[in-house]
Amino acid sequence: PGLCNGAVPGEATKRDENVKRGNWTNQIEFVLTSVGYAVGLGNVWRFPYLCYRNGGGAFMFPYFIMLVFCGIPLFFMELSFGQFASQGCLGVWRISPMFKGVGYGMMVVSTYIGIYYNVVICLAFYYFFSSMTRVLPWTYCTNPWNTPDCTGVLDATNGSAAPLLNLTQLLNHTLKRTSPSEEYWRAPCLRELRPRLCSPGCEPLAGCVGLPLCARRGVCLSIQVVYFTATFPYVVLTILFVRGITLEGAVTGIMYYLTPQWDKILDAKVWGDAASQIFYSLGCAWGGLITMASYNKFHNNCYRDSIIISITNCATSVYAGFVIFSILGFMAQHLGVDVSQVADHGPGLAFVAYPEALTLLPISPLWSVLFFFMLILLGLGTQFCLLETLVTAIVDEVGNDWIIRRKTFVTLGMAMVGFLLGIPLTTQAGIYWLLLMDNYAASFSLVIISCIMCISIMYIYGHQNYFKDIEMMLGFPPPVFFQICWRFFSPTIIFFILVFTVIQYRPIAYNTYVYPPWAISIGFLMALSSVLCIPLYAVYKLCRVEGDTLLQRLKNATKPSQDWGPALAEHRAGRYAPTPHLEVQLLNPEKPRSEDVALPGQGSNGSAHSQDSRL
């Protein structure tokens, strides 16, 4: 028989089914699930608004630099890390126990992201159900929540008897006109224009925070569901792309998207946002990549998978950007303003530009239902893996059969905690909390965690050791480019971005609202809560480890534990192979003297046997 499922040369078949933890059924299941995890709302929601906020093309240049020198190399590192040890984000740190706080930091980050990620899914649910009408509610400016500033594309053809303001009246009334989709985002959904404590439209849908429940052990989604959820978004995006580029003014928006504003490229905030978006979009430092790769077969070619998944992910972000900015160019020409002033520079951009384009399609309610159903699938695909990251880390850490049999209840408990923590974000102030968490909880903390992980593996564990581990697993060492990035480029680039981001720090704002100092302090506490896990656990480990001096404790705390290495015995070869002399240590040290005395009839054979035992 030939090679089977990525086995290295010399191994005809792969008998590496991990019965205790489980494995992916086949390789395509892992790739599609990883694409579903990486290609999420961050591509169609977060990337466009960050690109819009940072000057369009000015954001693209640092984005691709970060992708090549940090994103793809660290993506490969996390996949190979989890696949080699077959452990979650906590268990893998047997490689250097003192840095186990990195795994706890990943769990904290995944918790924060999971909380506010579900609120974005909640908004998608709200728009999904609101689309089930004959006419989309954000099509015209004749609704009770619309203001005199509203001007819609289709109002001129609306048969309603409501009086419409002409261009001169609008300009005399205000310097900025708004679209129906933007006013719908602000009024009925967020209730920004009404003094209400909670948003009744979104509040009933807060229950979707508890949706991601998966009862399977090891893998969340069946392959039949993954085939649909991984491919359906591209169909909807292609329909919107074709419609967007045929709109009048679309070229203006696309040129804004592609043309760099060189003055902004020198801004450290743009580079910091580009770095955070790469880590956010690819899922680096979330712990999800390590978790999903831990269910791979030991000899799976994760190098090829990392290239495919990361390029597919970032290409989807760029593709979604063309859709968004073609619509923004059309809206800018219709409203008579610059592209940079069309809509909010916040998370609501996707809920303004996309719905506006949907009103221009034939049978717009049908396409709107399909589009927001796509957003729900994208969000849930990522949310499943976020939840699985936390559950796998807990189950692997405890490790006994009792908790493995009750993994379903652990999953249910984690989902309920996430549901309760997400409820405050469904109030009227929820959008401000969402933006605060997005800017601090899942921003530079991701970069710091990835940098420390890279340094600990390359310089504490040793780059040569790790390269040999990958060669033992894949049959070839990592390419030279990745070796250089892991050792030099990635940590250096991340370090300088962090330094310049701190130097040029500016408090966040949402439109005209500037966050007060107490809110900024809460944001920094959220960011530090994940990063502080690393030094706190390191101090704890140093206090618990054996050693007479601090240097001895430091060496014992950073060296790999005895159970570090491949999970299955058939893969523990080379320096991971068990040594025969370890069995002699199990002999009772008090009995060698009695064994020296030959029993009657034993003769020389008994003496030889006793000598062999002492040896």
Side-chain angles (χ1 to χ4, degrees), residues 131-169:
S131 302
M132 296 180 180
T133 57
R134 294 179 60 88
V135 178
L136 293 177
W138 55 85
T139 304
Y140 302 110
C141 292
T142 57
N143 301 290
W145 58 80
N146 290 125
T147 66
D149 299 338
C150 179
T151 174
V153 178
L154 302 178
D155 278 330
T157 59
N158 184 16
S160 174
L164 299 176
L165 299 175
N166 57 34
L167 180 61
T168 305
Q169 291 173 320

Side-chain angles (χ1 to χ4, degrees), residues 511-549:
N511 294 333
T512 58
Y513 177 78
V514 179
Y515 281 71
W518 64 266
I520 302 296
S521 301
I522 293 177
F524 276 111
L525 288 176
M526 286 190 294
L528 291 176
S529 63
S530 58
V531 177
L532 285 178
C533 292
I534 302 172
L536 290 178
Y537 187 85
V539 173
Y540 166 79
K541 190 65 178 178
L542 286 174
C543 294
R544 297 293 300 272
V545 76
E546 296 180 356
D548 297 330
T549 64

Side-chain angles (χ1 to χ4, degrees), residues 406-487:
R406 291 164 177 79
K407 186 176 180 180
T408 302
F409 297 102
V410 178
T411 304
L412 178 62
M414 295 297 297
M416 291 304 299
V417 171
F419 165 76
L420 295 175
L421 294 176
I423 288 178
L425 274 70
T426 62
T427 62
Q428 183 184 11
I431 187 63
Y432 299 97
W433 287 107
L434 191 153
L435 187 63
L436 186 71
M437 295 182 71
D438 183 55
N439 273 267
Y440 290 95
S443 182
F444 62 88
S445 57
L446 295 175
V447 180
I448 295 176
I449 291 174
S450 287
C451 184
I452 295 177
M453 180 189 68
C454 189
I455 292 173
S456 62
I457 295 177
M458 290 294 104
Y459 295 99
I460 305 299
Y461 177 64
H463 63 277
Q464 292 294 345
N465 291 332
Y466 194 68
F467 298 160
K468 291 178 182 177
D469 291 342
I470 293 180
E471 185 173 6
M472 183 177 73
M473 179 174 62
L474 302 183
F476 57 89
V480 176
F481 174 75
F482 285 88
Q483 297 182 21
I484 295 175
C485 286
W486 289 345
R487 296 183 61 191

Side-chain angles (χ1 to χ4, degrees), residues 166-484:
N166 57 34
L167 180 61
T168 305
Q169 291 173 320
L170 283 170
L171 292 177
N172 289 336
H173 179 75
T174 180
L175 294 177
K176 180 184 178 182
R177 293 174 289 161
T178 56
S179 63
S181 60
E182 184 174 3
E183 292 200 349
Y184 183 82
W185 161 253
R186 290 185 176 185
C189 187
L190 297 186
R191 292 293 190 268
E192 284 187 358
L193 304 182
R194 300 182 184 184
R196 302 275 310 258
L197 177 62
C198 297
S199 172
C202 297
E203 188 181 14
L205 296 175
C208 75
V209 176
L211 279 177
L213 302 176
C214 50
R216 283 188 60 187
R217 182 181 66 184
V219 193
C220 293
L221 296 175
S222 66
I223 187 62
Q224 290 81 7
V225 176
V226 173
Y227 276 127
F228 176 73
T229 58
T231 57
F232 178 70
Y234 294 98
V235 177
V236 179
L237 283 177
T238 300
I239 294 172
L240 293 177
F241 173 74
V242 172
R243 183 64 182 111
I245 60 176
T246 57
L247 294 173
E248 187 178 2
V251 176
T252 305
I254 292 176
M255 290 303 297
Y256 180 87
Y257 177 50
L258 297 178
T259 305
Q261 300 178 22
W262 298 107
D263 57 327
K264 286 194 174 185
I265 289 181
L266 300 178
D267 189 355
K269 176 66 175 174
V270 177
W271 286 82
D273 283 346
S276 67
Q277 175 58 22
I278 285 293
F279 287 94
Y280 187 96
S281 181
L282 291 176
C284 296
W286 291 21
L289 298 177
I290 296 176
T291 300
M292 289 189 298
S294 70
Y295 295 108
N296 273 338
K297 306 294 178 64
F298 182 75
H299 293 300
N300 174 64
N301 191 344
C302 58
Y303 167 68
R304 176 191 56 211
D305 296 341
S306 63
I307 299 296
I308 294 173
I309 297 168
S310 55
I311 292 180
T312 301
N313 171 75
C314 295
T316 305
S317 296
V318 175
Y319 190 39
F322 277 102
V323 177
I324 281 280
F325 280 90
S326 63
I327 299 168
L328 290 177
F330 165 73
M331 294 173 65
Q333 178 161 330
H334 172 68
L335 297 175
V337 297
D338 188 71
V339 176
S340 61
Q341 301 175 355
V342 171
D344 293 345
H345 288 203
L349 175 63
F351 293 98
V352 173
Y354 286 125
E356 185 77 13
L358 293 170
T359 61
L360 306 176
L361 294 173
I363 323 177
S364 55
L366 172 63
W367 293 113
S368 183
V369 168
L370 291 177
F371 173 75
F372 289 108
F373 180 62
M374 175 200 75
L375 288 187
I376 293 170
L377 292 180
L378 287 175
L380 291 180
T382 302
Q383 197 71 2
F384 278 135
C385 295
L386 283 172
L387 183 60
E388 183 67 20
T389 298
L390 300 175
V391 173
T392 299
I394 294 173
V395 173
D396 285 350
E397 184 68 10
V398 178
N400 55 38
D401 294 334
W402 182 87
I403 196 169
I404 292 176
R405 291 194 301 266
R406 291 164 177 79
K407 186 176 180 180
T408 302
F409 297 102
V410 178
T411 304
L412 178 62
M414 295 297 297
M416 291 304 299
V417 171
F419 165 76
L420 295 175
L421 294 176
I423 288 178
L425 274 70
T426 62
T427 62
Q428 183 184 11
I431 187 63
Y432 299 97
W433 287 107
L434 191 153
L435 187 63
L436 186 71
M437 295 182 71
D438 183 55
N439 273 267
Y440 290 95
S443 182
F444 62 88
S445 57
L446 295 175
V447 180
I448 295 176
I449 291 174
S450 287
C451 184
I452 295 177
M453 180 189 68
C454 189
I455 292 173
S456 62
I457 295 177
M458 290 294 104
Y459 295 99
I460 305 299
Y461 177 64
H463 63 277
Q464 292 294 345
N465 291 332
Y466 194 68
F467 298 160
K468 291 178 182 177
D469 291 342
I470 293 180
E471 185 173 6
M472 183 177 73
M473 179 174 62
L474 302 183
F476 57 89
V480 176
F481 174 75
F482 285 88
Q483 297 182 21
I484 295 175

